[in-house]
Amino acid sequence: MLDIGGGTGAFPVALCRRHPHLRATVLDLPRVAAMAREKMAGLGLSEVIEARDGDFLHDERLPDGHDVILLSMILHDWDQETGRKLLGKCFAALPPGGAVIICELVLDDDERGPAPAALMGLNMLVETRSGHNYTYAEYRGRPADAGFGPVEVLPLDAAGANAALVARKPD
């Protein structure tokens, strides 16, 4: 699994502990990746979780060799065009049958709720230059625009996400 903008690796740590066969890479800016490496060493997970320096916005390609790419609370930080470019990089990095997982607070298609997603939308207006909380319809269309197959929506009940949207690269 490749966790794009994964910070210090909270998702990979939890997932690799639960699924011992899993190997993960966290891709983040150099100063953040350094913190992730330190954390993995402290947890004894350096052999399981690698932290790589990178900039998913400016690097031409994402690291390949992963079956799954996780975008957790990433796409809402950027405008639609930037999100499309990132999903295109994900598509290029994945093997046939690989999957991208988008975890976000997703707005209903009428953009009226749920409340946590609507409030995060306000937060994006204040904290980012072009961020926006997107609807289920918008998230269903973006992976398809990059070449992925249909999106499966898995409801979540978490502080930072109410859905995981999974799309696979066709075989």
Side-chain angles (χ1 to χ4, degrees):
M1 178 183 80
L2 176 62
D3 187 358
I4 301 294
T8 58
F11 276 107
V13 167
L15 291 169
C16 287
R17 283 182 169 165
R18 183 166 183 155
H19 304 281
H21 66 282
L22 183 64
R23 298 295 176 261
T25 302
V26 176
L27 179 75
D28 216 312
L29 299 171
R31 63 183 168 74
V32 179
M35 289 187 286
R37 283 189 287 277
E38 185 177 314
K39 178 179 178 180
M40 296 316 135
L43 294 172
L45 292 172
S46 295
E47 298 297 317
V48 176
I49 303 171
E50 173 189 12
R52 290 185 60 174
D53 296 354
D55 183 336
F56 63 81
L57 289 180
H58 298 105
D59 293 350
E60 189 174 318
R61 295 184 51 85
L62 298 174
D64 56 12
H66 301 89
D67 298 319
V68 174
I69 295 178
L70 175 63
L71 298 169
S72 178
M73 296 181 67
I74 296 295
L75 292 178
H76 72 196
D77 288 338
W78 311 102
D79 59 57
Q80 289 189 34
E81 183 57 30
T82 302
R84 281 188 192 94
K85 287 179 184 175
L86 180 54
L87 284 167
K89 290 179 185 183
C90 292
F91 187 85
L94 285 167
V100 64
I101 302 172
I102 301 165
C103 290
E104 295 277 358
L105 283 167
V106 183
L107 285 166
D108 293 333
D109 289 339
D110 65 8
E111 296 185 321
R112 294 182 183 191
L119 289 171
M120 181 59 79
L122 290 173
N123 186 52
M124 292 296 94
L125 291 172
V126 172
E127 289 191 8
T128 68
R129 291 184 183 185
S130 59
H132 181 83
N133 253 38
Y134 297 100
T135 65
Y136 283 100
E138 289 168 317
Y139 278 124
R140 281 189 184 100
R142 279 199 200 163
D145 292 345
F148 288 98
V151 173
E152 179 182 3
V153 177
L154 305 171
L156 296 176
D157 185 16
N162 63 0
L165 300 103
V166 182
R168 294 196 172 276
K169 184 173 180 176
D171 288 327

